[in-house]
Amino acid sequence: MTTIRPRDRDAVIQSLRAGVVPRAGQHLIQVGRGREVETLVSDIDRIADGGSSFRFVIGEYGAGKTFFLNLIRAVAMERKLVVMSADLNPDRRLHASGGQARSMYAELMRNMATRTKPEGGALAGVVEKFISTAKSEAKASGQSTEDVIRFKLAQLTELVNGYDFADVIAAYCRGVEEGQEQLKSDAIRWLRGEFSTRTDARAALGVRAIVDDASVYDQLKLMARFVRLAGFGGLLVCLDELVNLYKLANSQARNSNYEQLLRMLNDSLQGTAVGLGFVLGGTPEFLMDTRRGVYSYSALQSRLAQNTFAVDGLVDFSGPIVRLSALTAEDFYLLLGKIRHVYAGGNPERHLLPDPAIASFMEHCANRIGDSFFRTPRTTITSFINLLAVLEQNPDADWKDILGQVDVAADTGGNDDLAVQPDDELASFKL
Amino acid sequence: MARKGSGWALWVLGGIVLAIALVPREVWIGLGVIAAIALAIYGYLKWQAGQESKQSRAGLPTPVDTTHEPTLAELMGSQSQKARGKPERTPTKSAATPARAASSVKAAARAADPEFYTARLDSPSVSERAFSIPKPFDGFGDARWVPAGEVVKISGLDLPGGMLYVGARLKAANGSAEPSLISGQLNVARHGDFRERHTNYWPSYAEISATARRAYLGWLAEGRSHPECDIGLVFLFFYGLERRVILDTVKDPSIKVEWPTIAAELRRLLSIYGERSGSFRRYAGELLNWIELEGSPSKLYLQPVPELPQAYELPAYLRVALGEAAVDRAPVPAELALAWVKLNPGTYLRTAATRCPEEFERLFIQRYHEILGAGLVLPKNRTKLKFVYQAASSGFQGAKISLSFGDLPDITALTAPIRTLLEIANQCTDELGGFSRLVGKDPEARTSLDGLLQLPATLWPPAGQARLETIRSSMQGGMLTRRLDEVVDALGGSSQPFNRDRTRALARTLEAAGIGLEPDVLTGARAPSASDPVVLFAQPAGESGAADTSAYQTAALTLQLASAVAQADGAFNDHEVEHLRQEIEHWNHLTPRSRQRLHAHLAWLTAAPMTLASLKKKLDPLETKAKEAVATFMATLAQSDGVVSPDEVKFLEKVYKALGVEPKRVFSDIHAVGTGSPAPSRTAKAGFRLDAERIAALEKDTARVSALLSEIFTEEEVPPPPPVAVESMEEEGLLGLDEAHTALVRLLLSRPQWSRAELEDAASDLELMLDGALEQVNDASFEAYDLPLSEGEDPIDINAEVVEKIEQ
């Protein structure tokens, strides 16, 4: 294994030390899960071929859902897909009436990333790439750029909101050609779903529609087609923390959100969506709770039914659910080994700890916070990196002396996953 | 007689007077002596006749004079030596002199005969003359034996059935007239009711009144079966049989061929009159004994026991048989033991034995073998066996008819063996008590299932056994699921509703027959109602009580929960059942018998799934650890068909709650099963350990993923850019870009850092949009070097690495 880029190393180490999942370099510390990764990679390939996919990544708290999602996201970017990602939260949902869905859409657009802009904010680049391609075509054929754009976007107009979408792209193009920065930023604003009223949009861009709560998914489908027109493979939408849907107290609100999931699932299974993939991360409760989870919505549940042949050790990863098992002690052991390796910049000679030290460290954690520490690894990994940092800066110190002082806190974040948010729709009622 | 005597006297007197006148004195003296002798003889005869008639009308049995009674052989006037292989039997000899016997017989005959015959008594030639009369009517002429089946006509009545002596004359064994002989010469009244009492003790056809004769003939004509007939008349008939067997056979051994017929007739009579008259039962029983003993081969105990009536003492037949068994040291066959118990004088078996004799017999034989194995071996005691036949007929009056059996011991002298047998008998009657009471209440119940349930299955009548066999054969794979009422119907049906007790009885009965019943009502399971399904399964009889160990209980509970869970999705499908079957097979801590029952339990559960509510109560006593294990198992189970339906999840939550396990664990557990990893064990692990094998496997997997990912991220090795001359590149454009973008790249390469404004101007000069252009440039850079050319928004940094590579 050659050296690890300092950029990746820093990204990984810094993220882990902060207790968050790294945005880059996940592949450096991936342990196991060969089947799962292969499955998602094949999904990505299918999206790049103009297909569609829909996956639930189900795992318990600490099982590595977010890490896995980020890994997939990185793989997708490498495969020239445009990637959008957002975490659901009480203010961001798939469906809502109070702007929460639009808010989620806006978040997705802000986080739109490509290989060249992995941190997000790639929207303008994507649009401009499309326009510049159109421009060079226009130059070659002697047509006006707008005509070429209109011609290219003609296939989008058949979709919901498609016509207005084409108008907005054309407006951006006009803004570029005429040097109207305002027009350009209005167009981007529109695309990001940041217009909250139709009047504003009409005044700014001359379009009648805006991206609102109801049209979020349609807009994503449009965007998927558009990125393909711009020369990308497709669009992968990563939504995490779907447990927030489960936490909705209002059953109607929950069901509308599940309806949206059903739409996505149906479109993806029927092939109506082109170059669009969804990866959704959630906990087992979210999936299986029969009162509030996906299973409470029977139409969705029946489509998620597992393959009845995939039992007793046989596996089938073609179903829409990818289950992540919780980490085992052995997983964790290898993970720590990989972190040590990344920390050393990929040079085994610079490893700060020998192998037995990792086992000792784990034993230490087990004594401190119990046997299942490796199932909620966040705090433990942080401690481990802290240990490495100390050893790095104090080359004279012996790890055996320091190990006893390492403080590890139990990770109890998983408990919050089960808390149900109060029903905000009718909190109080007074005559 | 007196008149004739006086006529005689006149002549004599006249003679004497003449003689007195004529004869000399010496002659006179001689005559006087002769007269004195004649007087003495007359006086003696007179006394003798008076004595006989007194006896015959006394109405009381004469005590047998054992000192000088004539034996049968003597009575017959011919010695008959019967020789048998074993045991040796010889009629005993009497000390009485023949002369004396002959004279007494003559006197008795004279006294007993009707007056009409008296004159002919001393001249046998008269009877020979009567015999020579051609074709006499029935009842006339010399007496003859009417064989069984022949019809004779007496006094206008047809007497069917035969087995009678008919004729004018026949001497009994002791020389008197045969009491049973039906003579046509005697007048018969026009009417006579055999239900009235006509006879004294020791009746005789010749002596009874004409009305009684009519009654007797009427009874015979009716077929000898009217149950209310005067027992004296029955005895009259019996005397005939007795004579035939005892007396005639001595003369003519070929008569023995008739014996079975006679025995059958005796049994028939016994069945009708045996109950009414103890006396008849005794005499007829004795005669039967005689027949059986006389006609039987050696090793009597091996022969089937003939039907014998109970008497005041144990029938000789049995005693002989038992004695032989004792001598041979052979175990007493069960049938013989049973007969002994039944015929033992003074034994009164409880109602059960008489009300349901068949069942009692079968049960006794069964228990007998169970308790005593091959049978009871009798000790050889010292009391010797002797059989004295007490004849009923007055024709044998005074005869001692006995058999002795060599060294055969008389087993009745012992009490221990019979006590053992009686204990067994009592046990049997106890067991049959319920059945007996039921039959007493409702005779129909004998063949219905209600009755059968009170019996051990081995005692079932053949019909019941056959039905049981049908059920057993229809148990495919050793199991059969039916509704309870179907099972009941298949076993013969029941008139009463099936309550708990009766179901338990059914289960007990079936268990004894090697068929187990689920639900296990015997260990306290709720009794199923008629429409509920039950499972019958082959369960070889063996140790019972497998069902009450706690391990079994836990296992059964697990199954019940499992069935309830599996049922939650509406159907208990085969796969789930199969999964449970395998689970059961893996429960090695249970005995095979328990597992067999669990299989049946499972079959029952598929037919009648449990509700969770009913399970709740059972769950309380379990340990927390066991509860968690059960809960995890449930989750595994729900997963076993590959589909976890919302219903199943819902149910699992309920189960977890019912078990007192955190319901939220449902999801984790299902998930864990779904990912293929074992459900997280919650048992405390001893210390911290790493599984080296698993690490190795994981490392392999990781290496594979790394290879896959490194292909994507091309981290492994950056392929050096094609060594193309810069010159040629310039013509084609850098990184494969078009002219405008190449120009932009060149511009970018010239400085390590740009401000966004500068680049925007430059881009607009090149008629490019900056973001789009950078996107394209970086994309191309990624393609070539796996690195972007520019990084950052404002200022924009140029990647020095790429610069180096491009400028190479």
Side-chain angles (χ1 to χ4, degrees):
Chain A
M1 197 177 276
T2 55
T3 52
I4 293 166
R5 280 206 307 257
R7 197 167 67 109
D8 284 343
R9 173 191 178 271
D10 291 346
V12 170
I13 299 301
Q14 293 307 324
S15 314
L16 291 180
R17 196 168 184 181
V20 297
V21 174
R23 275 268 172 162
Q26 298 91 347
H27 56 282
L28 298 174
I29 54 170
Q30 176 62 36
V31 173
R33 299 217 166 121
R35 306 291 295 262
E36 290 86 348
V37 172
E38 277 170 16
T39 306
L40 268 298
V41 167
S42 72
D43 274 6
I44 288 164
D45 290 343
R46 192 162 65 244
I47 297 167
D49 283 346
S52 57
S53 86
F54 185 92
R55 295 277 179 186
F56 278 114
V57 174
I58 300 297
E60 289 187 68
Y61 180 81
K65 293 183 297 297
T66 308
F67 181 87
F68 188 72
L69 250 55
N70 281 355
L71 177 66
I72 298 310
R73 191 174 158 274
V75 171
M77 287 192 288
E78 282 298 312
R79 292 280 160 104
K80 291 200 201 166
L81 260 58
V82 178
V83 178
M84 293 171 166
S85 56
D87 289 358
L88 297 193
N89 64 27
D91 293 327
R92 289 182 199 138
R93 305 177 197 163
L94 294 171
H95 179 276
S97 50
Q100 292 97 329
R102 192 171 55 79
S103 161
M104 188 209 64
Y105 176 77
E107 174 75 4
L108 281 175
M109 297 309 276
R110 251 196 308 282
N111 288 336
M112 181 188 262
T114 60
R115 183 163 57 163
T116 55
K117 285 208 166 185
E119 286 82 26
L123 180 58
V126 172
V127 173
E128 288 187 4
K129 190 178 177 190
F130 171 74
I131 294 172
S132 60
T133 321
K135 263 189 166 174
S136 47
E137 269 183 41
K139 209 185 273 175
S141 62
Q143 289 172 295
S144 80
T145 314
E146 185 149 351
D147 283 350
V148 174
I149 289 170
R150 289 282 177 194
F151 174 75
K152 283 196 161 191
L153 296 181
Q155 55 167 307
L156 294 188
T157 55
E158 73 201 36
L159 298 175
V160 180
N161 265 3
Y163 195 82
D164 288 329
F165 187 85
D167 272 355
V168 172
I169 300 294
Y172 188 91
C173 180
R174 216 165 43 244
V176 172
E177 285 181 344
E178 295 166 10
Q180 293 184 38
E181 283 299 317
Q182 183 59 39
L183 195 57
K184 272 169 72 181
S185 66
D186 282 345
I188 293 297
R189 265 184 75 200
W190 189 95
L191 287 174
R192 281 180 174 174
E194 286 174 2
F195 276 107
S196 53
T197 64
R198 287 186 172 79
T199 330
D200 290 350
R202 197 172 176 187
L205 295 165
V207 295
R208 285 159 204 282
I210 56 167
V211 180
D212 58 13
D213 283 341
S215 61
V216 166
Y217 176 57
D218 295 311
Q219 204 64 32
L220 288 176
K221 285 207 279 187
L222 271 175
M223 193 52 78
R225 297 257 188 130
F226 177 70
V227 298
R228 284 177 65 78
L229 291 175
F232 292 94
L235 178 64
L236 181 71
V237 180
C238 298
L239 295 174
D240 204 355
E241 308 295 344
L242 257 74
V243 75
N244 280 299
L245 298 184
Y246 159 86
K247 289 191 204 170
L248 290 175
N250 185 294
S251 63
Q252 220 175 344
R254 258 195 334 261
N255 283 342
S256 336
N257 278 287
Y258 291 148
E259 256 163 49
Q260 288 297 320
L261 285 179
L262 181 62
R263 265 189 82 196
M264 295 173 187
L265 180 65
N266 281 347
D267 280 353
S268 121
L269 298 181
Q270 291 161 358
T272 333
V274 177
L276 178 60
F278 286 95
V279 182
L280 311 166
T283 57
E285 289 87 355
F286 157 72
L287 181 68
M288 287 183 287
D289 191 294
T290 50
R291 283 180 304 279
R292 298 200 303 271
V294 170
Y295 276 14
S296 69
Y297 193 73
S298 61
L300 196 49
Q301 184 273 325
S302 59
R303 283 164 177 78
L304 295 180
Q306 290 121 308
N307 188 337
T308 46
F309 297 102
V311 288
D312 300 335
L314 300 174
V315 286
D316 173 22
F317 285 101
S318 63
I321 294 179
V322 173
R323 292 176 182 273
L324 299 183
S325 55
L327 287 185
T328 62
E330 291 78 13
D331 288 324
F332 196 62
Y333 175 77
L334 289 183
L335 176 60
L336 292 183
K338 286 219 163 199
I339 291 173
R340 176 189 61 174
H341 188 68
V342 170
Y343 201 92
N347 184 356
E349 286 167 18
R350 287 172 57 201
H351 283 179
L352 291 163
L353 283 172
D355 283 350
I358 296 177
S360 304
F361 174 77
M362 288 175 73
E363 196 163 357
H364 172 72
C365 294
N367 292 339
R368 278 296 182 88
I369 51 178
D371 277 334
S372 58
F373 69 93
F374 46 82
R375 270 188 234 127
T376 51
R378 193 163 297 177
T379 53
T380 326
I381 290 174
T382 308
S383 304
F384 184 69
I385 293 176
N386 287 340
L387 174 67
L388 290 177
V390 171
L391 286 173
E392 188 184 33
Q393 289 157 53
N394 304 283
D396 301 335
D398 186 1
W399 62 269
K400 285 174 192 137
D401 300 332
I402 304 171
L403 189 61
Q405 303 160 17
V406 172
D407 195 25
V408 190
D411 184 359
T412 54
N415 300 347
D416 300 338
D417 278 2
L418 299 174
V420 176
Q421 72 178 92
D423 187 350
D424 53 359
E425 311 220 346
L426 196 61
S428 63
F429 184 73
K430 205 173 179 183
L431 276 175
Chain B
M1 206 201 277
R3 263 200 314 276
K4 299 203 175 212
S6 66
W8 249 77
L10 274 175
W11 283 100
V12 170
L13 203 65
I16 290 168
V17 171
L18 204 69
I20 290 167
L22 298 177
V23 295
R25 207 169 127 192
E26 292 83 354
V27 173
W28 180 247
I29 291 163
L31 276 172
V33 171
I34 290 166
I37 290 166
L39 202 70
I41 290 170
Y42 178 76
Y44 173 71
L45 285 177
K46 200 79 175 163
W47 173 81
Q48 187 82 6
Q51 199 76 347
E52 284 291 332
S53 71
K54 218 191 284 174
Q55 256 186 23
S56 69
R57 284 162 215 288
L60 284 166
T62 314
V64 177
D65 186 359
T66 49
T67 51
H68 67 92
E69 55 183 336
T71 65
L72 178 64
E74 286 160 352
L75 289 172
M76 295 300 303
S78 71
Q79 190 77 18
S80 146
Q81 278 287 354
K82 285 176 282 175
R84 291 178 77 232
K86 192 183 181 183
E88 186 80 21
R89 282 185 268 183
T90 48
T92 51
K93 287 171 189 152
S94 169
T97 60
R100 190 181 162 76
S103 70
S104 75
V105 164
K106 269 182 194 166
R110 195 184 299 152
D113 270 0
E115 269 180 274
F116 185 73
Y117 293 104
T118 312
R120 301 165 189 240
L121 189 66
D122 286 338
S123 55
S125 58
V126 180
S127 68
E128 259 157 38
R129 246 183 285 135
F131 185 72
S132 67
I133 295 169
K135 291 182 182 175
F137 292 109
D138 286 334
F140 293 88
D142 226 352
R144 70 180 181 98
W145 169 254
V146 181
E150 188 184 320
V151 180
V152 288
K153 198 176 180 78
I154 304 285
S155 301
L157 283 171
D158 284 330
L159 308 183
M163 299 197 187
L164 297 165
Y165 284 98
V166 173
R169 283 168 304 278
L170 184 65
K171 276 184 188 164
N174 58 6
S176 62
E178 170 58 40
S180 67
L181 178 70
I182 298 172
S183 167
Q185 290 166 337
L186 300 178
N187 51 350
V188 172
R190 211 170 280 259
H191 302 288
D193 187 350
F194 52 74
R195 280 172 293 191
E196 287 168 19
R197 181 162 175 82
H198 297 283
T199 54
N200 295 316
Y201 208 90
W202 280 340
S204 162
Y205 185 77
E207 284 180 15
I208 55 177
S209 67
T211 325
R213 284 185 202 120
R214 175 76 205 186
Y216 179 53
L217 294 177
W219 175 67
L220 291 177
E222 170 266 347
R224 308 194 284 257
S225 59
H226 198 289
E228 287 169 39
C229 178
D230 176 19
I231 198 69
L233 301 180
V234 180
F235 263 111
L236 213 50
F237 174 70
F238 173 74
Y239 293 161
L241 300 181
E242 192 174 47
R243 179 196 165 93
R244 189 70 179 169
V245 171
I246 307 270
L247 194 59
D248 290 3
T249 312
V250 175
K251 284 185 194 155
D252 177 10
S254 67
I255 288 174
K256 270 193 181 178
V257 298
E258 290 177 18
W259 282 20
T261 332
I262 293 173
E265 179 66 11
L266 278 173
R267 292 206 168 91
R268 189 182 71 81
L269 290 174
L270 270 171
S271 69
I272 301 171
Y273 305 105
E275 283 301 306
R276 267 180 59 208
S277 165
S279 166
F280 180 73
R281 194 166 67 233
R282 195 189 71 144
Y283 283 116
E286 289 275 286
L287 185 59
L288 264 180
N289 265 320
W290 182 274
I291 291 176
E292 296 295 346
L293 281 177
E294 190 70 29
S296 65
S298 62
K299 291 205 190 289
L300 211 51
Y301 56 90
L302 295 178
Q303 305 304 316
V305 183
E307 200 184 313
L308 298 164
Q310 190 170 20
Y312 299 112
E313 57 177 356
L314 192 65
Y317 179 91
L318 285 186
R319 287 153 75 179
V320 172
L322 291 171
E324 283 176 345
V327 168
D328 291 359
R329 311 292 302 154
V332 177
E335 291 76 10
L336 191 60
L338 177 67
W340 189 4
V341 167
K342 281 163 80 179
L343 299 177
N344 186 44
T347 300
Y348 296 101
L349 292 173
R350 281 179 230 167
T351 325
T354 48
R355 197 183 276 151
C356 5
E358 219 176 287
E359 288 80 8
F360 172 73
E361 279 168 26
R362 297 229 303 272
L363 184 61
F364 180 85
I365 290 168
Q366 225 176 332
R367 293 284 176 272
Y368 179 76
H369 286 306
E370 276 169 25
I371 295 170
L372 297 170
L376 186 66
V377 178
L378 297 170
K380 194 175 165 187
N381 58 325
R382 289 219 206 102
T383 317
K384 295 286 173 279
L385 185 62
K386 188 176 176 186
F387 178 42
V388 176
Y389 181 75
Q390 305 226 344
S393 170
S394 58
F396 291 97
Q397 173 74 54
K400 184 180 180 187
I401 310 159
S402 63
L403 294 173
S404 69
F405 302 92
D407 278 345
L408 279 189
D410 187 354
I411 224 70
T412 48
L414 299 173
T415 52
I418 186 68
R419 213 183 300 131
T420 314
L421 295 180
L422 283 176
E423 262 169 40
I424 298 174
N426 277 337
Q427 191 190 329
C428 294
T429 45
D430 283 349
E431 278 185 55
L432 283 174
F435 179 69
S436 163
R437 282 188 287 278
L438 184 72
V439 171
K441 259 185 269 174
D442 174 18
E444 297 289 308
R446 189 182 286 272
T447 52
S448 77
L449 183 60
D450 305 342
L452 298 185
L453 285 188
Q454 304 283 347
L455 290 176
T458 44
L459 275 194
W460 285 23
Q465 294 276 20
R467 281 184 284 228
L468 207 56
E469 205 43 58
T470 315
I471 287 183
R472 199 175 285 142
S473 60
S474 62
M475 289 195 293
Q476 299 111 346
M479 246 178 255
L480 180 71
T481 309
R482 284 271 189 286
R483 280 168 41 163
L484 180 59
D485 49 0
E486 285 172 345
V487 173
V488 171
D489 285 344
L491 288 171
S494 165
S495 56
Q496 297 164 41
F498 247 69
N499 58 15
R500 180 181 176 77
D501 286 343
R502 294 158 58 70
T503 312
R504 287 175 71 112
L506 176 67
R508 227 183 339 258
T509 311
L510 288 175
E511 191 170 56
I515 298 177
L517 179 79
E518 269 296 329
D520 195 0
V521 288
L522 292 180
T523 54
R526 199 173 61 82
S529 70
S531 56
D532 287 345
V534 293
V535 173
L536 303 177
F537 62 100
Q539 185 191 38
E543 88 281 11
S544 59
D548 33 65
T549 63
S550 67
Y552 174 85
Q553 292 291 5
T554 314
L557 182 61
T558 308
L559 278 187
Q560 287 160 8
L561 277 168
S563 77
V565 173
Q567 194 71 25
D569 57 5
F572 202 167
N573 67 33
D574 290 345
H575 189 85
E576 284 162 331
V577 174
E578 193 46 47
H579 176 83
L580 284 173
R581 289 242 165 81
Q582 285 172 5
E583 284 297 329
I584 293 174
E585 279 310 310
H586 292 148
W587 289 337
N588 288 323
H589 61 289
L590 297 173
T591 61
R593 194 183 159 84
S594 296
R595 274 181 278 177
Q596 206 171 16
R597 183 165 273 284
L598 283 176
H599 278 301
H601 192 64
L602 175 61
W604 178 69
L605 287 170
T606 51
M610 284 243 164
T611 59
L612 195 56
S614 64
L615 289 175
K616 229 169 189 171
K617 204 166 48 174
K618 297 185 175 185
L619 294 171
D620 287 340
L622 287 181
E623 293 169 39
T624 320
K625 201 173 133 194
K627 282 181 182 173
E628 283 180 352
V630 169
T632 312
F633 177 70
M634 301 282 90
T636 316
L637 185 79
Q639 190 81 30
S640 71
D641 59 357
V643 180
V644 183
S645 74
D647 286 339
E648 281 175 320
V649 175
K650 239 178 241 177
F651 185 82
L652 277 177
E653 284 183 80
K654 285 186 201 162
V655 169
Y656 275 52
K657 217 177 282 174
L659 284 167
V661 180
E662 175 58 47
K664 297 290 176 200
R665 275 190 181 168
V666 171
F667 309 114
S668 314
D669 287 352
I670 295 181
H671 178 74
V673 177
T675 54
S677 66
S681 66
R682 300 202 176 86
T683 51
K685 232 191 288 175
F688 178 78
R689 249 192 345 267
L690 285 173
D691 184 350
E693 225 172 90
R694 205 176 132 67
I695 289 179
L698 260 172
E699 263 174 346
K700 224 165 143 191
D701 193 29
T702 307
R704 198 162 59 92
V705 180
S706 298
L708 175 82
L709 292 175
S710 62
E711 248 173 59
I712 294 165
F713 292 99
T714 56
E715 185 189 57
E716 201 78 11
E717 52 191 68
V718 181
V724 206
V726 176
E727 294 83 9
S728 64
M729 265 172 75
E730 275 169 3
E731 284 163 16
E732 292 175 11
L734 280 170
L735 307 164
L737 293 165
D738 63 8
E739 194 190 314
H741 286 94
T742 308
L744 181 65
V745 171
R746 290 192 179 285
L747 189 65
L748 288 172
L749 290 174
S750 63
R751 282 195 222 169
Q753 196 178 60
W754 295 82
S755 75
R756 191 171 174 84
E758 286 170 327
L759 279 181
E760 272 178 353
D761 291 344
S764 59
D765 289 344
L766 290 166
E767 289 197 330
L768 291 172
M769 289 167 290
L770 181 61
D771 283 328
L774 284 178
E775 181 77 34
Q776 283 210 1
V777 167
N778 283 335
D779 215 26
S781 167
F782 258 115
E783 290 289 301
Y785 309 111
D786 198 32
L787 284 171
L789 181 59
S790 68
E791 281 176 38
E793 288 285 319
D794 190 13
I796 293 165
D797 295 314
I798 304 302
N799 199 326
E801 246 180 285
V802 182
V803 176
E804 273 175 35
K805 284 177 176 167
I806 291 178
E807 288 176 351
Q808 263 173 4

